[in-house]
């Protein structure tokens, strides 16, 4: 069975074709992503109106490219899966109305997918044999959450950020350091030649048993640190790689410690990291090293499946479809905030 996934919740217009009748799990036949980073870069963050306009321009060519690359026709697709929440409503609506129109015309089922479930389940596109339960550390631009994943569709929130998401903290720090958008990859690249021990930025643990996160303090600490210099900041007044490396280390330390506290508290032996920040090398390596020391298996999807993509939406749509969770064409709507 072929599924077409569509994703337009933020600044990536994406479409993917997956085949779920493959004997070794779900096969990605195409995974097309039109990124808008260059448009939003000069604003240091996503501008919703610009994102929406670009989604409108991109959606048809991206779907056509996904079908062509997969070597299939739209009439071969048996299920449509589209992100319905959470995200920028004006952006979500572009994907949602497109998916509704196509599925309605072809009289095929349509599933509205929660983007967060897409991230959590993205690992099954590459590792179909991961067993439940596992702890999912979902770290993206809009969310930083820990879930106990007991089965497909069974997610218990263990903790979440009380203010900024980890990706958002990277994006805001990068804006302060004038490194561009998206901030995570820019900070990571700059940090490569820096010393992570040079500045002791705060790590917020809230209290010792809390699985909640807070990243506003480290962001303010960076601002205060920068305010101690005279703008424009440059390598003549400070060594940017040291600042980036110290900031990155502070964020990553908290993510690792909380994820391992969660596995300990819930007596689980597997952690899966997902979302854009899961492509961060320091986080991946730190998690794996700690996992080896503590007998916990750590998995992450490859980078293209960590950041926003439509293959993960098709994947989550498939598991919803198996539970007969169809959406009604008329009631299915975009929602900015929707918990899992
Ligand atoms: O999952 P995603 O593509 O979109 C959301 O659902 O938000 O995540 C985007 C976020 C951005 O904040 C970006 O700065 C961050 O993921 N990110 C990274 C890295 N790559 C992307 N953060 C740290 N290191 C990276 N290598
Ligand atoms: Zn995302």
């Amino acid at each position: 069975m072929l599924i077409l996934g569509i994703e337009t919740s933020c600044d990536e217009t994406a479409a993917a074709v997956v085949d779920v009748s493959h004997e070794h799990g779900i096969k990605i036949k195409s995974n097309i992503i039109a990124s808008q980073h260059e448009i939003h870069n000069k604003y240091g963050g996503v501008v919703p109106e610009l994102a929406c306009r670009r989604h409108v321009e991109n959606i048809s060519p991206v779907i056509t490219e996904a079908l062509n690359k997969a070597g299939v026709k739209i009439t071969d697709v048996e299920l449509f899966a589209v992100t319905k929440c959470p995200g920028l409503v004006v952006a979500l609506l572009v994907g949602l109305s497109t998916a509704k129109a196509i599925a309605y015309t072809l009289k095929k089922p349509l599933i509205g997918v929660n983007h967060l479930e897409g991230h959590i389940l993205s690992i099954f596109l590459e590792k179909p044999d991961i067993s439940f339960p596992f702890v999912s550390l979902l770290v993206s631009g809009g969310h930083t959450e820990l879930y106990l994943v007991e089965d497909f569709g069974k997610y218990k929130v263990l903790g979440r950020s009380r203010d900024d998401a980890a990706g958002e903290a990277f994006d805001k720090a990068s804006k302060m350091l004038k490194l561009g958008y998206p901030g995570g990859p820019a900070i990571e690249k700059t940090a490569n030649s820096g010393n992570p021990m040079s500045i002791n930025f705060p790590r917020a643990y809230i209290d010792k048993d809390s699985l909640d996160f807070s990243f506003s303090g480290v962001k303010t600490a960076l601002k205060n640190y920068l305010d101690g210099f005279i703008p424009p900041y440059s390598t003549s007044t400070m060594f940017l790689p040291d600042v980036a490396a110290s900031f990155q280390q502070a964020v990553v330390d908290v993510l690792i410690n909380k994820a391992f506290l969660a596995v300990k508290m819930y007596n689980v032996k597997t952690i899966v990291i997902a979302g854009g920040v899961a492509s961060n090398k320091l986080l991946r390596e730190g998690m794996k090293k700690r996992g080896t020391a503590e007998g916990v298996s750590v998995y992450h999807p490859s980078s293209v499946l960590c950041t926003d993509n439509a293959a993960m939406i098709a994947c989550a749509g498939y598991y919803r479809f198996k539970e007969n969770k169809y959406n009604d064409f008329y009631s299915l709507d975009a929602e900015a905030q929707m918990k899992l």
Side-chain angles (χ1 to χ4, degrees), residues 115 119 140-142 167-168 170-171 182-185 188 275-277 279-280 306-308:
H115 182 88
H119 275 305
S140 70
E168 189 181 354
F170 276 120
D171 293 337
E188 179 170 33
V277 183
S279 32
N280 184 279
C306 286
T307 42
D308 288 351

Side-chain angles (χ1 to χ4, degrees), residues 53-312:
R53 218 172 295 162
R54 188 47 77 95
H55 282 311
V56 172
E57 287 163 14
N58 280 348
I59 190 79
S60 292
V62 163
I63 291 175
T64 304
E65 196 181 337
L67 293 167
N68 289 346
K69 181 112 190 278
V72 302
K73 298 193 291 296
I74 190 91
T75 46
D76 297 329
V77 175
E78 282 161 82
L79 173 68
F80 292 84
V82 61
T83 309
K84 63 164 183 172
C85 64
L88 304 168
V89 168
V90 285
L92 287 163
L93 279 173
V94 178
L96 199 59
S97 1
T98 307
K100 275 189 182 185
I102 303 174
Y104 186 79
T105 311
L106 298 176
K107 298 188 174 48
K108 295 283 168 69
L110 172 68
I111 305 256
V113 172
N114 185 312
H115 182 88
L116 306 181
E117 186 173 24
H119 275 305
I120 291 172
L121 298 184
S122 57
I123 193 71
F124 288 96
L125 289 163
E126 294 177 323
K127 297 215 176 306
D129 47 354
I130 284 190
S131 51
F132 299 105
F134 61 82
V135 162
S136 169
L137 170 66
L138 170 55
V139 265
S140 70
H143 296 84
T144 293
E145 286 162 8
L146 278 164
Y147 293 90
L148 179 65
V149 182
E150 292 172 308
D151 203 343
F152 294 111
K154 268 188 95 180
Y155 315 106
K156 181 175 174 188
V157 184
L158 307 180
R160 54 166 52 112
S161 179
R162 297 184 182 181
D163 41 57
D164 292 358
E168 189 181 354
F170 276 120
D171 293 337
K172 288 178 177 166
S174 179
K175 193 172 178 180
M176 284 186 234
L177 296 170
K178 300 178 177 56
L179 294 173
Y181 174 85
I187 299 251
E188 179 170 33
K189 193 165 165 232
T190 309
N192 277 341
S193 48
N195 172 8
M197 315 286 274
S198 55
I199 306 149
N200 188 18
F201 286 123
R203 278 91 167 136
Y205 289 105
I206 303 171
D207 70 56
K208 83 174 180 14
D209 292 327
S210 174
L211 293 174
D212 280 350
F213 300 88
S214 168
F215 293 108
S216 62
V218 65
K219 188 185 67 186
T220 306
L222 173 64
K223 183 173 181 315
N224 291 341
Y225 178 81
L226 295 179
D227 285 346
F229 293 87
I230 298 161
Y233 319 121
S234 72
T235 42
S236 60
T237 50
M238 76 179 87
F239 188 53
L240 271 184
D242 280 355
V243 185
S246 302
F247 183 86
Q248 176 179 245
Q249 190 72 56
V251 173
V252 164
D253 280 354
V254 175
L255 294 174
I256 294 176
N257 286 328
K258 296 268 177 188
F260 279 85
L261 177 61
V263 291
K264 201 165 154 209
M265 283 168 75
Y266 289 84
N267 197 21
V268 172
K269 287 281 163 224
T270 309
I271 300 177
V272 178
I273 46 175
V277 183
S279 32
N280 184 279
K281 206 164 158 229
L282 188 76
L283 175 64
R284 288 178 172 191
E285 288 178 356
M287 293 284 294
K288 294 225 157 156
K289 198 166 157 205
R290 179 87 175 262
T292 308
E294 298 192 14
V296 173
S297 309
V298 174
Y299 301 100
H300 57 75
S302 45
S303 292
V304 70
L305 296 175
C306 286
T307 42
D308 288 351
N309 66 89
M312 69 181 194

